[in-house]
Amino acid sequence: DIVVTQSPDSLAVSLGERATINCKSSQSVLYRPNNKDYLAWYQQKPGQPPKLLIYWASTRESGVPDRFSGSGSGTDFTLTISSLQAEDVAVYYCQQYYSTPLTFGGGTKVEIK
Amino acid sequence: EVQLVESGGGLVQPGGSLRLSCAASGFSFSRYWMSWVRQAPGKGLEWVANMKQDESEKNYVDSVRGRFTISRDNAKNSLYLQINSLRAEDTAVYYCAGGYGWYLDLWGRGTLVTVSS
């Protein structure tokens, strides 16, 4: 099974500042034949289901603000919120979909400082 | 409007069974891989199982294999999860989720399964 590890567990960022979340997989999720990384990011607000933000490591889902961006390849990935807004307070999860069992990171809670 | 609506959760004793249902609307259900994902109270997300569009492939996490069975009825735009031999550690909100591939762009609001005597 591919283990996905996120860091930090939580972070507090001032409004308008950058938030960076890291995600590491225990093996590469890059599929060489199509050169795609099978890594997604989700946002979950309290009392709500998760919402897809990013897939293929860096492709933003339709309707997701461009302050959210994903980067990285292979085993190391980053979700960046370029200018934190109040509505971005949530828990963020990365997920590998390279192989089953599909696995999620443990989550990163983002709060306002 | 795209919707996934789960039902069938509830309080069940250890060793008991439940059948969860997910009703889909507003999109081409038969073109989507469908998954069940669960979240224990105050915990993170755990993928449970998925099923290919044409029912030819099913996958499970090891902790539920042999106890849980995923199925779908494309004619009824519905996904199911039969859960047997329930344990306390199966207590969670169960989400129905789907995507063209294995990333999940559609989610329901979940149904709570509580296993307790």
Side-chain angles (χ1 to χ4, degrees):
Chain A
D1 297 2
I2 298 177
V3 176
V4 179
T5 304
Q6 283 182 238
S7 62
D9 292 337
S10 64
L11 75 162
V13 176
S14 300
L15 288 172
E17 296 300 305
R18 179 185 301 260
T20 301
I21 301 169
N22 301 302
C23 176
K24 188 174 184 68
S25 57
S26 61
Q27 62 191 75
S28 176
V29 297
L30 173 64
Y31 186 58
R32 291 289 183 185
N34 62 9
N35 200 37
K36 287 183 179 290
D37 287 283
Y38 285 58
L39 192 286
W41 289 95
Y42 301 85
Q43 175 193 65
Q44 187 177 32
K45 298 180 180 181
Q48 296 186 19
K51 173 188 173 183
L52 177 67
L53 296 176
I54 304 281
Y55 56 99
W56 301 129
S58 61
T59 301
R60 203 178 299 115
E61 173 73 333
S62 175
V64 173
D66 61 6
R67 63 180 180 273
F68 292 92
S69 63
S71 62
S73 184
T75 61
D76 292 279
F77 302 90
T78 300
L79 175 70
T80 301
I81 310 172
S82 61
S83 176
L84 191 74
Q85 304 300 303
E87 60 266 32
D88 301 334
V89 169
V91 179
Y92 293 83
Y93 296 93
C94 57
Q95 176 225 343
Q96 67 79 20
Y97 52 99
Y98 184 89
S99 64
T100 59
L102 309 184
T103 46
F104 291 88
T108 297
K109 187 174 185 178
V110 174
E111 300 172 307
I112 304 296
K113 184 187 292 182
Chain B
E1 180 191 6
V2 172
Q3 272 197 314
L4 292 170
V5 180
E6 302 91 338
S7 60
L11 175 63
V12 62
Q13 293 188 337
S17 299
L18 279 177
R19 189 191 195 211
L20 307 184
S21 299
C22 171
S25 60
F27 67 101
S28 297
F29 177 78
S30 62
R31 297 174 64 185
Y32 275 65
W33 275 87
M34 295 300 298
S35 284
W36 288 97
V37 177
R38 66 184 179 183
Q39 187 169 35
K43 302 297 185 183
L45 301 169
E46 181 184 33
W47 173 83
V48 172
N50 70 1
M51 188 170 192
K52 196 173 181 180
Q53 294 90 332
D54 63 0
E55 306 178 52
S56 63
E57 183 177 340
K58 304 178 187 181
N59 301 290
Y60 298 91
V61 69
D62 282 350
S63 59
V64 309
R65 188 174 289 112
R67 299 189 299 124
F68 291 15
T69 302
I70 188 171
S71 61
R72 66 191 293 164
D73 185 336
N74 287 339
K76 294 183 177 180
N77 289 336
S78 293
L79 180 73
Y80 306 99
L81 187 68
Q82 178 68 41
I83 48 180
N84 299 327
S85 304
L86 277 159
R87 307 166 179 168
E89 56 264 35
D90 295 319
T91 293
V93 173
Y94 284 73
Y95 294 104
C96 168
Y100 278 120
W102 286 353
Y103 59 85
L104 304 168
D105 59 310
L106 301 176
W107 291 76
R109 296 200 65 84
T111 186
L112 176 62
V113 173
T114 303
V115 183
S116 175
S117 55

